[in-house]
Amino acid sequence: MTVDMSVAIGDLRLRGPVLAASGTFGYGTEVPLLERRALGGMVSKGIFIRPREGTAPPRIAETPAGMLNAIGLQGPGVEALIRDYAPQWAGWDFPILVNINGESASEYGELAARLDGVPGVAGFEINISCPNVEQGGLYFGNDPRAAAAVTDAVRRRTKLPVWVKLTPMVSDIGVIARAVESVGADALCAINTFVGMSIDLNTYGPRLSFRTGGLSGPAIRPLAVHLAHQAARAVRIPVIGIGGITRAEDALEFLVAGCVAVQVGTATFVNPKAIEEVHDGLVSFLESRGFKTLADLPRYLPRD
Amino acid sequence: MTVDMSVAIGDLRLRGPVLAASGTFGYGTEVPLLERRALGGMVSKGIFIRPREGTAPPRIAETPAGMLNAIGLQGPGVEALIRDYAPQWAGWDFPILVNINGESASEYGELAARLDGVPGVAGFEINISCPNVEQGGLYFGNDPRAAAAVTDAVRRRTKLPVWVKLTPMVSDIGVIARAVESVGADALCAINTFVGMSIDLNTYGPRLSFRTGGLSGPAIRPLAVHLAHQAARAVRIPVIGIGGITRAEDALEFLVAGCVAVQVGTATFVNPKAIEEVHDGLVSFLESRGFKTLADLPRYLPRD
Amino acid sequence: MFLLDAPVTAKRQVAQGMFVIAMRAPEIAATVRAGQFVNLGWSGGPLLRRPFSVYRADGEDIEVVLKAVGVGTAQLLEMEGGDRVSCLGPLGRGFEIAGSRVLVISGGLGVAPMPLAARDARSAGARVTWVHGARTAAELCSEADGDEIVWATDDGSRGFHGTAVAAATDAGLVLACGPNRMLAAVAERWPDAQVAVETYMGCGTGVCLGCAVPLALGGYDRACKEGPVYRAAAVNWSALPAHLPYVA
Amino acid sequence: MFLLDAPVTAKRQVAQGMFVIAMRAPEIAATVRAGQFVNLGWSGGPLLRRPFSVYRADGEDIEVVLKAVGVGTAQLLEMEGGDRVSCLGPLGRGFEIAGSRVLVISGGLGVAPMPLAARDARSAGARVTWVHGARTAAELCSEADGDEIVWATDDGSRGFHGTAVAAATDAGLVLACGPNRMLAAVAERWPDAQVAVETYMGCGTGVCLGCAVPLALGGYDRACKEGPVYRAAAVNWSALPAHLPYVA
Ligand SMILES: Cc1cc2nc3c(=O)[nH]c(=O)nc-3n(C[C@H](O)[C@H](O)[C@H](O)COP(=O)(O)OP(=O)(O)OC[C@H]3O[C@@H](n4cnc5c(N)ncnc54)[C@H](O)[C@@H]3O)c2cc1C
Ligand SMILES: Cc1cc2nc3c(=O)[nH]c(=O)nc-3n(C[C@H](O)[C@H](O)[C@H](O)COP(=O)(O)OP(=O)(O)OC[C@H]3O[C@@H](n4cnc5c(N)ncnc54)[C@H](O)[C@@H]3O)c2cc1C
Ligand SMILES: Cc1cc2nc3c(=O)[nH]c(=O)nc-3n(C[C@H](O)[C@H](O)[C@H](O)COP(=O)(O)O)c2cc1C
Ligand SMILES: Cc1cc2nc3c(=O)[nH]c(=O)nc-3n(C[C@H](O)[C@H](O)[C@H](O)COP(=O)(O)O)c2cc1C
Ligand code: FES
Ligand code: FES
């Protein structure tokens, strides 16, 4: 018996529910080890219109069952992405979404317009949740009006799928979720990293040069499952779960909690085959429980 | 050489900076193992005016480097506390603060008034951050006006020290911190647990009967250090750091980040002597770095 | 209550997948009462300790019996002689043993607290009948003992074909441990039976309130302090979470 | 790039607190170039892998050299023969070895990538002079080798009294590894030297951008992809975080 693992997210059909998370899989060209068949899709490293240097080192610090990062969205800018990566993506058998960033709503819009129609670009993940940039980033993420404005600016410039990646740094994620749904987001990605800090007892200051960083990894999973669940209850569009997924069981927590798909991030650093193992583990789990399609998995999604 | 570990929090002088966190040390009567000399003070389990049954089991679930709990503030009510515990506390050589809870600002005020002057009660920790109660709890914690109203109601009914325990479930903890400082809080405690969820793949539903629970333990430490640091930068009153402290090095992160003292919670479940080890570890660290008093520890607290 | 750094001293198999681990914990061995438990932690283990009934105590050693049902039990079963376990206990309230005839009923791993109970009962001069049940003959713990032993298996592969409760004949004092559904059946038939229950535990020492046991009269108390042994009729069985996969 | 489940095959001490661990990783042993590294993980270890230069590679085994400086290195040093290490590599760009005279300069654990470098240089027919420095004689790695070996100690307890850089005489190709301040000094004297740097690493495979190395011309690249070997003058040494406590 083979299980049907395909999922539809708006008009986008994925062969599987496990995607590579932005910033943890580069541009998809770096690591040869992973069996691509397991990839439902990939979200590329966050990009701005212009090239960005990123933050000074140290950029990462390990914490219990997690890590802090402050990369500062280092990237070559959109033209280099179109020149160096998109052509390769055009030849791949899974969709690549570009994680787009800007310092103003109109910058997000311009970026989407520039990438719209470029072969290899299947859609957009709007990053309104990066904790590691001075302007923009988080600000757009925890103000419903700003979040909607950014989403709207992108929506007006492209017919491609538009996903919005939410920040956990809000007191009610449902408000932001509904705000971006109302202006035409096709899906929500929950969640980005939590802002954290780690202190170096030799220097009596932060370990990271940026002072704070985004916490990722297994440590945040129970928080991420809750936020993804809250988002899924707040909207009708699909929600993609992200946060601390290392094994199939972890992915299943998000799927049961109401997500249609998941993204795997930090786990890939530890185990370059993590996505493969999560995907294959999902298949065996569904088989062992006698489900024929992923859609048959029972969901816990009380509407109230 | 002996290091002076005492700290002053408002008018309250503690012999050491390590306190037992509310809900993780009961009423101080349960566990005989800990050497009391290491205790700077204790915050008792959260109490309401009336007795509370608490939530149905399961109440706890383990997560990577953390645990979720939904106890629901089970407790005997204030009269039983005054009858059964306060008299014992009156004989102890460290201060006991009572963690007070209510469903309205006036309930908090009544509770403080009832406990004010009771021998054994050294002060109050206002819990406006419990994620595990239907009414009140979190609501008071993430609205500056409500937080200030509760604090004010308590402040008017007692001359004893009033600490306010903040929730991490806010987009800007500084706003809440300033709001409660402005109405006379003597200190802030940062932070309470983060709301999280864990899914049982046998029942396809939440592991906890309350559905969600509060995440505690090492997993949240980098988030807690950041929030305590943000709070310390926002106010002039002392901040007590809480979240994932298991060793002296963990406590030092909070102290360097601007806290005057710390509370140890979950670690006590794992190691009933945790508070002792944190305290003794702090002493050896300060000695090894040649500091004569805890106050000499360099702090990282840029004012901007 | 003691907190000891206890070296593992021995390990043996007592049923299919079921093993006994002995560790040197003198103060606990000297003071533990039947039905009490220890809360075990070890470096490289999960965050929280894991509670286990004390199976036997002789001389300086205590024993626990377990199956691998998850992360922690799997790690415990990988331990070798000399490896160290942090042992917190004895914890909780044990059985109150009295009378001349004692009936012990154990289902699967519910055997755990019973060797101590049987020992105390017999040294108090009582006659002990031990009914031990499991799914199959292979899963029956080989170390059940007493003046009379009755075996019961769900598949009839050994002894009585059916549950341990059905196999039991009346007696004075009834002591039972096993899956909740079994204990609920015990409560029906012997309201005064003393039963040892299990819950998730945060601390094992009474401070976290995580081990709530729903009471028949309403409200909850703590399996780790007032329990884990209860008068069967005192527990609200329908409200006590079931499906503890590891209790075979 | 390979991901192998490598059993530990041997362990030996090469200086005070400094040990070499060998593990069976055939594909990596067969393809690794001097200056490349492996990223190691193991069950029960920290979340992130730990990067280590390949010290030697012969037959099916690779070796790494390390001191216990924290959680991960301490755990690695506790491993015994047969214990398994997940071994990801070979990673990064190694040394470009050419010319007839090669000067190898290593400070403390900076010895790590040099045995392979010396081997390649000599098999390419070059004459190798190896200057190895440490704080004290006891901390000098006993396995430095070459056509000529110069020892240097900060306390003068063996060989040249001073730094390895000061002890070195000019040569054609210069290869260096050690503390940043030492590499900065190398850059002053030999801008074209090839130096192996260290940074914190998230992935080791080029996807996280966590291993940023500040460049003299501005901007950053990745120690794990474009590095860890750089032309000495290409690195902005003042912007590269120093105080790596474990680099003695
Ligand atoms: C007072 C008491 C005495 C006990 N005595 C014994 C004993 O003598 N022998 C024995 O084998 N076990 C005993 N247990 C149960 C034992 O503590 C659990 O099996 C153990 O904690 C499982 O840990 P784990 O890491 O292997 O499983 P986990 O990975 O934590 O979980 C595996 C599965 O076991 C279930 N589970 C885990 N812990 C508990 C728990 N405390 N209560 C209910 N379900 C749980 C979970 O639902 C999960 O599906 C006792 C429990 C209590 C409270
Ligand atoms: C390309 C490369 C090659 C390396 N080769 C070797 C080698 O051959 N032998 C060897 O002993 N070490 C080598 N290292 C360094 C080694 O990776 C670290 O010492 C190791 O990660 C420390 O892990 P830990 O868990 O023991 O220490 P931790 O507990 O993680 O940290 C202990 C201390 O070491 C410091 N530290 C930890 N990791 C790093 C790091 N990656 N960079 C800088 N400082 C760090 C921290 O500041 C901390 O104070 C190499 C590093 C890189 C990037
Ligand atoms: C090193 C690193 C870089 C990241 N870069 C981005 C990024 O550019 N854009 C983005 O939206 N999220 C970024 N993220 C967040 C991840 O996509 C993901 O949301 C987060 O790490 C939680 O998932 P995880 O726990 O599986 O890693 C980054 C995460 C890490 C660890
Ligand atoms: C089981 C449990 C019960 C708790 N009960 C309370 C409570 O009654 N009142 C309160 O303010 N905080 C309560 N807390 C929160 C702790 O006091 C502390 O803020 C939190 O656990 C983070 O610290 P830790 O990581 O050291 O445990 C409780 C925490 C746990 C784990
Ligand atoms: S387990 Fe903590 S109170 Fe019982
Ligand atoms: S360590 Fe991740 S890019 Fe270099």
Side-chain angles (χ1 to χ4, degrees), chain D residues 39-235:
Chain D
N39 214 2
L40 304 181
W42 54 94
S43 69
L47 176 70
L48 297 174
R49 290 172 176 267
R50 299 294 194 247
F52 295 89
S53 305
V54 176
Y55 178 73
R56 281 221 174 81
D58 50 56
E60 303 209 307
D61 288 9
I62 61 166
E63 294 181 347
V64 298
V65 61
L66 63 153
K67 284 186 176 182
V69 299
V71 189
T73 44
Q75 289 181 357
L76 269 176
L77 288 181
E78 276 168 15
M79 295 220 171
E80 289 151 13
D83 290 351
R84 299 191 163 268
V85 179
S86 170
C87 196
L88 176 66
L91 301 170
R93 262 196 332 96
F95 296 109
E96 305 285 344
I97 293 170
S100 59
R101 287 173 53 245
V102 173
L103 171 62
V104 166
I105 305 178
S106 59
L109 273 167
V111 68
M114 296 313 186
L116 276 190
R119 179 198 70 183
D120 292 0
R122 296 168 87 178
S123 59
R127 179 167 195 291
V128 173
T129 304
W130 185 328
V131 185
H132 180 56
R135 284 204 219 94
T136 66
E139 292 174 75
L140 285 167
C141 175
S142 57
E143 296 186 344
D145 72 3
D147 304 288
E148 181 193 2
I149 303 181
V150 179
W151 305 101
T153 51
D154 300 346
D155 68 353
S157 50
R158 180 169 180 192
F160 180 83
H161 186 161
T163 71
V165 175
T169 51
D170 279 9
L173 174 64
V174 177
L175 311 177
C177 184
N180 288 354
R181 62 184 181 298
M182 169 189 134
L183 298 183
V186 168
E188 286 284 314
R189 190 163 156 193
W190 299 288
D192 292 326
Q194 295 177 31
V195 300
V197 305
E198 291 184 4
T199 65
Y200 287 95
M201 288 192 168
C203 65
T205 58
V207 295
C208 78
L209 307 183
C211 57
V213 174
L215 302 177
L217 298 174
Y220 305 96
D221 68 10
R222 301 164 296 180
C224 72
K225 273 283 180 189
E226 292 79 34
V229 174
Y230 289 88
R231 179 171 169 274
V235 175

Side-chain angles (χ1 to χ4, degrees), chain C residues 50-53 65-66 69-73 112 198-200 244-246:
Chain C
R50 298 296 193 246
F52 295 88
S53 305
V65 62
L66 63 152
V69 299
V71 189
T73 44
E198 292 185 2
T199 66
Y200 287 95
L244 307 189
Y246 57 90

Side-chain angles (χ1 to χ4, degrees), chain B residues 23-26 30-33 45 53-60 62 65-67 71 74 207 218 266 269-273, chain C residues 1-3 46-50 88 200-203 205-210 212 214 218-222 225 239 241 245:
Chain B
T24 66
F25 205 66
E30 294 81 354
V31 186
L33 292 166
K45 171 66 184 172
E53 273 199 358
T55 55
R59 290 179 171 185
I60 57 178
E62 202 174 18
M67 67 176 275
I71 308 303
Q74 174 179 340
R207 286 188 178 277
T266 300
F269 302 162
V270 182
N271 171 14
K273 289 178 163 297
Chain C
M1 195 187 305
F2 303 93
L3 182 61
L47 176 69
L48 297 175
R49 289 172 178 266
R50 298 296 193 246
L88 176 65
Y200 287 95
M201 289 193 167
C203 65
T205 59
V207 295
C208 79
L209 308 183
Y220 305 95
D221 68 10
R222 301 165 295 181
K225 273 282 179 188

